[in-house]
Amino acid sequence: MTHENLKGRVAVVTGGGGVLCGQFAQTLAKQGCKVAVLDLNEAAAQACADEIVANGGEAIAVGCNVLDSESMQNARKIINEKLGTCDILLNGAGGNNPKGTTTKDTLEQIDLVQKDENVKTFFDLDADGISFVFNLNFLGTLIPTQVFARDMVEKEHACIVMITSMNAFRPLTRIPAYSAAKAAVKNFTEWMAVHFAPMGIRVNAIAPGFFSTKQNATLLWNEDGTPTARTGKILAATPMNRFGEPEELDGTLLFLCDEAYSGFITGVNIPVDGGFNAYSGV
Ligand code: NAD
């Protein structure tokens, strides 16, 4: 795949110290983008940037917090000085957290009458846990966009790529905060596509199916490394019967970033999911 249009463009990748966004950062660098790898975990961001540079690409790492406007302004200043103004913003930082998760798929009578400390029901969810997950995924994309879209309004072919999830279409059991937040991110993608259209900024989303990474590890794998019952259910509901590999998101990312392929596309949310979203279960 070659995407000449992307050569020399400045790509800002939030969550670039993580599994999927680290892959996105590498992919954009291979197309000649100058990549800023942003992450709360500065060491992880640095490792990703170092790998890009070792492979002959151009990248810098910036430790920052997508929930803190000042921290993002500071990141923008560094990036503008070292790489230039932002052409592509990949809003990737996000994920679920046990704080926003119930133990069981559905409410069971036994958990109402016989309280078990190890079972977190809907009634045990606390607002702080829900806010943590909701803020990370929703405000964590809104704040970086407020900061970096300032660079983009001056450009002809700027674009924003959001990362949603299967739960943006239908909620997944046990993760009410993450489900609601990713539905909000899909809705926000559409809102921004409309809002920024006169400025020529396209805004689209990738909806990954199931990929085994750090943020969902406790849901997918037991401590001894064996698959959880949830993993069995996911694979049974994925017609291709496997988890995705991070590099299988590359084609959709490059398609959405390169106006030669997607110049008239804005406001879409593309599933890359082995058929999960199409399958009714029957
Ligand atoms: P990951 O945990 O490997 O990466 C997420 C990264 O975000 C981490 O490096 C983390 O340090 C960083 N981060 C967290 N809070 C931050 C903050 N406040 N400021 C800056 N950085 C912060 O997870 P991943 O699976 O690679 O997820 C990447 C994106 O893909 C997320 O938005 C996630 O919701 C989404 N997603 C993942 C899957 C999957 O199956 N893994 C499926 C659908 C969507």
Side-chain angles (χ1 to χ4, degrees):
M1 287 185 267
T2 46
H3 292 266
E4 282 298 315
N5 286 328
L6 303 186
K7 213 170 179 173
R9 291 198 182 159
V10 174
V12 175
V13 180
T14 74
V19 178
L20 298 185
C21 299
Q23 170 73 24
F24 292 146
Q26 305 286 345
T27 299
L28 290 167
K30 281 184 195 141
Q31 297 299 327
C33 288
K34 296 185 270 181
V35 181
V37 184
L38 274 53
D39 207 289
L40 193 58
N41 181 342
E42 195 168 354
Q46 191 62 57
C48 177
D50 288 348
E51 195 180 332
I52 290 173
V53 173
N55 290 329
E58 190 172 351
I60 59 167
V62 186
C64 60
N65 181 356
V66 291
L67 294 171
D68 178 348
S69 188
E70 207 175 304
S71 163
M72 296 312 293
Q73 294 288 359
N74 185 46
R76 179 183 172 209
K77 194 161 165 274
I78 295 168
I79 294 162
N80 286 174
E81 277 167 20
K82 294 195 174 167
L83 301 180
T85 53
C86 175
D87 296 282
I88 297 166
L89 171 63
L90 197 155
N91 270 318
N96 187 38
N97 188 286
K99 291 186 212 167
T101 304
T102 61
T103 308
K104 295 185 178 174
D105 290 0
T106 51
L107 189 63
E108 290 172 20
Q109 191 67 28
I110 185 151
D111 295 318
L112 295 176
V113 290
Q114 189 180 308
K115 189 60 202 144
D116 178 345
E117 298 254 300
N118 296 317
V119 174
K120 197 200 284 178
T121 73
F122 171 74
F123 300 107
D124 302 317
L125 289 171
D126 73 75
D128 288 346
I130 300 289
S131 317
F132 176 87
V133 175
F134 205 87
N135 288 346
L136 173 60
N137 289 281
F138 185 69
L139 283 181
T141 57
L142 186 144
I143 291 168
T145 305
Q146 283 181 314
V147 171
F148 288 101
R150 292 253 179 213
D151 286 353
M152 297 178 163
V153 293
E154 310 286 333
K155 311 217 167 190
E156 206 183 338
H157 295 298
C159 73
I160 299 171
V161 178
M162 309 287 281
I163 309 298
T164 62
S165 162
M166 286 299 102
N167 57 34
F169 301 100
R170 279 170 300 165
L172 300 177
T173 55
R174 298 176 54 192
I175 49 176
Y178 187 50
S179 292
K182 287 297 192 185
V185 172
K186 173 179 177 284
N187 184 286
F188 183 44
T189 301
E190 294 160 356
W191 186 91
M192 286 193 292
V194 174
H195 192 71
F196 289 132
M199 296 285 129
I201 305 172
R202 295 181 301 111
V203 189
N204 294 295
I206 301 173
F210 292 86
F211 295 73
S212 177
T213 65
K214 276 178 284 183
Q215 58 94 12
N216 56 15
T218 53
L219 285 167
L220 301 182
W221 307 105
N222 297 313
E223 276 175 20
D224 63 3
T226 55
T228 61
R230 192 174 179 88
T231 288
K233 285 170 89 172
I234 289 167
L235 296 180
T238 301
M240 291 178 78
N241 193 33
R242 63 175 175 87
F243 287 113
E245 296 298 332
E247 59 271 21
E248 291 180 298
L249 297 163
D250 289 353
T252 310
L253 172 69
L254 295 174
F255 166 75
L256 289 176
C257 290
D258 187 345
E259 67 278 2
Y261 293 80
S262 58
F264 196 48
I265 296 178
T266 195
V268 304
N269 178 39
I270 302 180
V272 182
D273 65 349
F276 182 92
N277 193 48
Y279 184 42
S280 71
V282 178

Coordinates of all heavy atoms in Angstrom, one line a residue, residues 65-74 143 146-147:
N65 N -1.7 14.1 29.1 CA -3.0 13.6 29.5 C -4.1 14.2 28.7 O -4.3 15.4 28.7 CB -3.2 14.0 31.0 CG -4.5 13.4 31.6 OD1 -5.3 12.8 30.9 ND2 -4.6 13.6 32.9
V66 N -4.8 13.3 28.0 CA -5.9 13.8 27.1 C -7.1 14.4 27.8 O -7.9 15.0 27.2 CB -6.4 12.6 26.2 CG1 -5.4 12.2 25.1 CG2 -7.0 11.4 27.0
L67 N -7.1 14.3 29.1 CA -8.2 14.9 29.9 C -7.8 16.2 30.5 O -8.6 16.9 31.2 CB -8.6 13.9 31.1 CG -9.1 12.6 30.6 CD1 -9.3 11.7 31.8 CD2 -10.5 12.8 30.0
D68 N -6.6 16.7 30.1 CA -6.1 17.9 30.7 C -5.8 18.9 29.6 O -4.8 18.7 28.8 CB -4.9 17.6 31.6 CG -4.3 18.8 32.2 OD1 -4.6 20.0 31.8 OD2 -3.4 18.7 33.0
S69 N -6.6 19.9 29.4 CA -6.5 20.9 28.3 C -5.1 21.5 28.3 O -4.4 21.6 27.2 CB -7.5 21.9 28.5 OG -7.5 22.7 27.3
E70 N -4.6 21.9 29.5 CA -3.3 22.5 29.5 C -2.1 21.6 29.1 O -1.2 22.0 28.3 CB -3.0 22.9 31.0 CG -2.1 24.1 31.1 CD -1.9 24.5 32.6 OE1 -3.0 24.8 33.2 OE2 -0.8 24.5 33.1
S71 N -2.3 20.3 29.5 CA -1.3 19.3 29.1 C -1.3 19.1 27.5 O -0.3 19.0 26.9 CB -1.6 18.0 29.8 OG -1.0 16.9 29.2
M72 N -2.5 19.2 27.0 CA -2.6 19.0 25.5 C -2.1 20.3 24.8 O -1.5 20.2 23.7 CB -4.1 18.7 25.1 CG -4.6 17.4 25.6 SD -3.5 16.0 25.4 CE -3.6 15.8 23.6
Q73 N -2.3 21.4 25.4 CA -1.8 22.7 24.7 C -0.3 22.6 24.7 O 0.4 23.0 23.7 CB -2.2 23.9 25.6 CG -3.7 24.2 25.6 CD -4.2 24.8 24.2 OE1 -3.5 24.9 23.3 NE2 -5.5 25.0 24.2
N74 N 0.3 22.1 25.8 CA 1.7 22.0 25.9 C 2.2 21.0 24.9 O 3.3 21.2 24.2 CB 2.1 21.5 27.3 CG 3.6 21.5 27.5 OD1 4.3 22.4 27.2 ND2 4.0 20.4 28.1
I143 N -11.3 17.0 24.1 CA -10.2 18.0 24.5 C -9.1 18.0 23.5 O -8.7 19.0 23.0 CB -9.8 17.7 26.0 CG1 -10.9 18.1 26.9 CG2 -8.5 18.5 26.3 CD1 -10.7 17.6 28.4
Q146 N -10.3 19.8 20.4 CA -10.3 21.3 20.6 C -8.9 21.9 20.4 O -8.8 23.0 19.9 CB -10.8 21.6 22.0 CG -12.3 21.5 22.2 CD -12.7 21.9 23.6 OE1 -12.1 21.5 24.6 NE2 -13.7 22.7 23.7
V147 N -7.9 21.2 20.9 CA -6.5 21.7 20.8 C -6.0 21.6 19.4 O -5.5 22.6 18.8 CB -5.6 21.0 21.8 CG1 -4.2 21.3 21.6 CG2 -6.1 21.3 23.2

